[in-house]
Amino acid sequence: MKSRDLGLLALMATVGFVAVTVLPEGSHAGEMWPTGLAAGVLLLNARSRWAEIGLLVFLASVVAMTFAGRAPLMAGGWSLGITAGALVVAGVLTHRGTRTPRLRDNVDLARFFAAILAGSAVAGAFTGVTSLLLQGDRPGVLAVATVLAHLNGYAVILPFFMAVARHRANSSRIERALQASALAGVMLLVFGLFGDKPLMAFLVVPVLSWCALRNSMRVTLLQLLAFGGSAAGLTLAGIGPFAGVERLSHHFDIVMLALHLFVLACVVSSLPSAVAVAMQRDVSHAASVERDRLHSLVGSTRGIAIIGTDADGLINLFNPGAEQQLGYRAGEVLGKSPSMFHRQEEFERLAELLGTEATHRAVAFVLREPEHAGTEVEFVNKDGDLRMHTMTLARIIDADGNVAGHVSTAEDVTERVQAHTTLTEALETERQAVDRLRQVDQLKDIFVSSVSHELRTPITSILGYLEILGDGGFGPVNSAQTNALTRVAGNSERLLSLIDDLLLLSQVQDGVLETKSADCDLGAVVLAAANVVAPACETTGKAFGIDVPSTPSPFTGDRAQLERAVINLLSNAVKFTQAGGRIDVALRSDADAAIISVRDTGVGIPRDEQAQVFKRFFRSSVAFEMAIQGSGLGLSITQAIAVSHNGHVEFESNPGEGSVFRLVFPQRVYDAHAHGHANAG
Ligand code: ADP
């Protein structure tokens, strides 16, 4: 048990002892028992300790009353009432699990009155029943007096144990001095001059209400306590209007009843006002905190222009961001219309965009709709420069639902818009350049293709004449001449093959690579190609291996093109393999796929160049270094042929060790071709 709690209970017992002692002879009830202290000690402790505290409240009360002269049985019954009442009050106040109940709003106030009413009623019942059992005097009056006395005992003390508003007084010092003198004056009138007129006592009520409305909650509570105490003291001393009641009723219980009613009236008239004022102060405090926060936010926002207008559309807010972006000081624009920041041309542009009239009012009316948030609006700053802002306009609606003004937030995006325009223009220029290049490229392709066509005829003719010459058709030729003729023929054939490559490639690029599909045997294709390169292998001293299945490998495709593809791979293998190396061509044809592989032990392709192997005109650095002739067209043609047969070319190459190139015709495609073959067969 804390000494604080023990002290409070001792205080209760002492005040209670005095209150009972000072009651005049023959009076039984209605003493100013400080019930609020008992309930207060309960509120200070957890519920688990209430039984223990309740017992102490009971014992302290019994002892105080017995010492003050009450019969022990009566003291016991009444103390039970005090204890039970305090437990009920504390129980109702904390029934939501709150340890320190609040007295801050109307709901708290209602619960407070309900709690003290319930507690006082319980105590009243105990007192009444005790008096009835002990054949006491007038148990009904006793019960009512107890209820009222306890109500006051709670009302003026218990709020000190609750969480009340902590706002400061509204009143100035002068006002407080006036209040004190008014209160003293009224007390003097009520308890002095009009001592024989009990109703005049209620003159105190308006003065107390005045104090409650203007003072802090704590001061109001202290006033009530002081006022209740002094009213009771004066009355007990036989002074004032209530003492006069005794002369009328000849019974002091009635005096105390009147006094308690009076104090209660004062409590009921001041406590709710004090709570209402506290609530209002709370709300207005929150609102002013919010307003200050908003002000500092608006004031500290520099990158964003915030402009507010009142209900008449005149500027009443111009934040530093707006000053910075538009160049005006707030003082120069307050009270003016924001239309000063726009040109008529801009209203016309926006009016067309938003489908409204070209006036500031009409445009603003549409712009404030949420879907137009972030619209780009042109502003004219103080220097007359045109700036582009993205602007969002919103209405301010007051508590009655009327439009109290507007607020616009805008961000200067001039630079961003300019950058965007420049970028768009640059992209357009680039697109045009690409278009021109594409046209040039097309022209070049057309040129290459037509030139190749034109070249083919004379070269074929040259080759024809060379053959006739070589055969001695135009007279005998000696060995030196034959030698020269052979060289000319060789070079002419290379020229013809280059021209054929160029022609085929231009067909590929135009997407018109014509394949004359027919049934063929892939084995035969490989053998024919091998025959073409075999002599070159032999003359340059390279071993040549051929591995083709003995049974036909049916395929549907363009035989000539397939042969050409295999020849390309084989002639590369021959070209890029040094004397003493080996070249192998093989065909694997089964239900899964047909694969023609060409393997060599040549120079290979440097790894960092391998990704470009199928690009037109690609020639590896090794090919250049070793001055190996070629056009760089063979592989792209081979790839195009494979693709036109729904296949592809793949390769692996190890620099210095050799390469393997594969023409792969996948199963599905191969099956389809095989089927075609079967059907055709
Ligand atoms: P070309 O053989 O006329 O140069 P290709 O398109 O057939 O043109 O080949 C392109 C390049 O790929 C060749 O120049 C060569 O550098 C490289 N290459 C192709 N096949 C082989 C190979 N079997 N071994 C090494 N390098 C090869």
Side-chain angles (χ1 to χ4, degrees):
M1 192 84 190
K2 282 195 185 146
S3 52
R4 171 199 65 190
D5 299 341
L6 288 175
L8 285 168
L9 289 181
L11 183 65
M12 177 197 77
T14 313
V15 175
F17 169 79
V18 173
V20 176
T21 319
V22 296
L23 280 184
E25 201 63 34
S27 169
H28 301 98
E31 74 274 358
M32 283 293 206
W33 192 271
T35 45
L37 284 174
V41 175
L42 289 172
L43 288 185
L44 289 175
N45 288 279
R47 280 185 175 217
S48 54
R49 309 205 40 222
W50 283 9
E52 183 191 338
I53 294 168
L55 189 65
L56 280 175
V57 169
F58 173 73
L59 291 176
S61 306
V62 172
V63 170
M65 282 192 201
T66 319
F67 269 104
R70 287 251 156 90
L73 273 183
M74 192 176 272
W78 290 13
S79 298
L80 267 185
I82 290 169
T83 312
L87 282 167
V88 168
V89 171
V92 174
L93 285 178
T94 56
H95 96 281
R96 282 237 207 103
T98 37
R99 180 75 185 271
T100 311
R102 301 170 353 131
L103 190 57
R104 300 196 70 143
D105 58 26
N106 289 336
V107 178
D108 299 340
L109 195 68
R111 186 176 306 122
F112 175 73
F113 277 121
I116 65 174
L117 207 61
S120 307
V122 168
F126 268 91
T127 318
V129 170
T130 309
S131 169
L132 208 64
L133 291 178
L134 300 177
Q135 268 102 43
D137 201 9
R138 294 204 270 186
V141 177
L142 213 58
V144 174
T146 306
V147 171
L148 291 175
H150 281 215
L151 269 177
N152 286 333
Y154 286 123
V156 297
I157 297 173
L158 197 52
F160 289 102
F161 294 89
M162 299 172 74
V164 295
R166 298 194 167 275
H167 65 83
R168 279 184 298 157
N170 259 342
S171 51
S172 62
R173 268 198 205 157
I174 299 179
E175 186 177 344
R176 280 202 292 277
L178 277 175
Q179 285 173 353
S181 24
L183 206 56
V186 167
M187 289 290 272
L188 201 69
L189 275 180
V190 171
F191 284 87
L193 278 182
F194 301 131
D196 53 346
K197 297 190 176 64
L199 280 181
M200 290 311 273
F202 288 89
L203 272 180
V204 174
V205 174
V207 181
L208 279 177
S209 297
W210 172 26
C211 299
L213 284 176
R214 304 286 300 166
N215 289 327
S216 73
M217 190 76 181
R218 295 247 157 231
V219 169
T220 303
L221 293 174
L222 283 171
Q223 267 172 357
L224 276 178
L225 185 64
F227 168 75
S230 47
L234 286 168
T235 305
L236 286 168
I239 302 171
F242 306 109
V245 175
E246 195 191 8
R247 290 189 286 278
L248 300 175
S249 72
H250 305 293
H251 206 297
F252 203 79
D253 287 345
I254 303 295
V255 174
M256 289 311 277
L257 239 162
L259 170 70
H260 288 314
L261 259 180
F262 171 64
V263 175
L264 197 64
C266 294
V267 167
V268 168
S269 64
S270 14
L271 207 55
S273 322
V275 169
V277 169
M279 265 170 73
Q280 218 169 30
R281 295 283 299 260
D282 274 353
V283 171
S284 78
H285 176 72
S288 76
V289 166
E290 200 54 41
R291 192 196 52 217
D292 290 349
R293 204 201 328 249
L294 205 68
H295 264 278
S296 66
L297 196 75
V298 167
S300 64
T301 314
R302 305 217 159 250
I304 295 177
I306 303 177
I307 303 176
T309 53
D310 59 18
D312 298 324
L314 302 177
I315 299 173
N316 60 3
L317 169 75
F318 199 74
N319 83 328
E323 291 185 340
Q324 199 179 38
Q325 293 185 17
L326 294 171
Y328 292 96
R329 311 286 316 153
E332 295 175 83
V333 296
L334 290 178
K336 295 187 182 162
S337 163
S339 63
M340 66 185 281
F341 304 126
H342 309 284
R343 300 184 301 160
Q344 181 56 32
E345 287 94 313
E346 181 59 3
F347 291 136
E348 277 157 22
R349 183 186 76 84
L350 288 170
E352 197 171 334
L353 185 80
L354 305 168
T356 183
E357 272 177 66
T359 63
H360 177 232
R361 227 183 120 74
V363 167
F365 194 79
V366 183
L367 265 186
R368 65 189 193 181
E369 295 306 324
E371 68 261 31
H372 295 304
T375 304
E376 281 181 3
V377 177
E378 179 204 86
F379 280 68
V380 187
N381 70 12
K382 195 179 176 185
D383 297 336
D385 293 339
L386 302 180
R387 308 293 301 176
M388 202 48 113
H389 287 197
T390 51
M391 190 179 109
T392 300
L393 188 64
R395 272 176 289 193
I396 302 170
I397 308 288
D398 67 16
D400 301 327
N402 299 320
V403 177
H406 290 84
V407 64
S408 75
T409 49
E411 195 184 353
D412 192 328
V413 291
T414 314
E415 273 73 34
R416 206 188 302 163
V417 170
Q418 273 167 1
H420 182 252
T421 316
T422 317
L423 198 72
T424 318
E425 282 168 9
L427 280 175
E428 177 57 20
T429 317
E430 195 170 299
R431 196 187 58 74
Q432 285 172 2
V434 168
D435 273 356
R436 266 200 305 280
L437 278 177
R438 197 171 289 141
Q439 282 168 7
V440 170
D441 200 43
Q442 265 171 3
L443 278 177
K444 183 207 73 191
D445 286 346
I446 293 168
F447 176 74
V448 167
S449 132
S450 60
V451 167
S452 310
H453 248 291
E454 295 305 314
L455 281 176
R456 207 174 192 288
T457 324
I459 289 178
T460 320
S461 151
I462 289 170
L463 277 168
Y465 277 105
L466 281 173
E467 203 177 332
I468 301 171
L469 267 174
D471 291 348
F474 298 112
V477 279
N478 62 29
S479 68
Q481 286 168 331
T482 309
N483 206 1
L485 283 176
T486 314
R487 279 172 187 274
V488 175
N491 280 326
S492 302
E493 259 159 21
R494 269 182 53 205
L495 258 183
L496 193 63
S497 134
L498 178 64
I499 286 166
D500 282 347
D501 278 354
L502 282 173
L503 272 174
L504 199 78
L505 210 65
S506 61
Q507 278 182 17
V508 170
Q509 266 175 292
D510 295 346
V512 290
L513 178 62
E514 280 176 24
T515 47
K516 299 189 192 86
S517 239
D519 297 334
C520 60
D521 170 16
L522 276 184
V525 167
V526 172
L527 287 176
N531 280 337
V532 175
V533 294
C537 263
E538 211 170 306
T539 50
T540 52
K542 292 155 203 171
F544 189 38
I546 305 170
D547 180 8
V548 174
S550 51
T551 51
S553 305
F555 194 78
T556 308
D558 187 322
R559 192 193 151 119
Q561 283 187 2
L562 290 168
E563 236 177 77
R564 182 169 188 160
V566 183
I567 291 172
N568 278 351
L569 295 183
L570 278 172
S571 46
N572 276 348
V574 175
K575 272 199 293 185
F576 296 104
T577 304
Q578 279 125 333
R582 184 180 172 80
I583 291 128
D584 282 288
V585 61
L587 167 66
R588 294 270 167 279
S589 162
D590 54 26
D592 288 340
I595 301 174
I596 299 168
S597 62
V598 175
R599 185 182 295 275
D600 64 54
T601 57
V603 294
I605 304 166
R607 292 202 192 283
D608 56 339
E609 297 174 18
Q610 291 188 0
Q612 309 175 52
V613 158
F614 294 107
K615 280 192 185 151
R616 280 193 293 163
F617 304 111
F618 165 76
R619 313 213 61 233
S620 74
S621 50
V622 185
F624 280 113
E625 277 162 27
M626 299 174 72
I628 298 169
Q629 283 186 339
S631 62
L633 294 174
L635 281 180
S636 38
I637 287 170
T638 307
Q639 176 78 299
I641 292 170
V643 171
S644 74
H645 285 83
N646 296 322
H648 67 271
V649 184
E650 58 189 35
F651 76 99
E652 288 147 36
S653 183
N654 292 318
E657 288 178 21
S659 317
V660 53
F661 280 77
R662 294 189 196 91
L663 270 167
V664 182
F665 301 104
Q667 174 195 17
R668 196 171 50 83
V669 181
Y670 173 64
D671 277 357
H673 281 96
H675 252 274
H677 178 82
N679 289 344

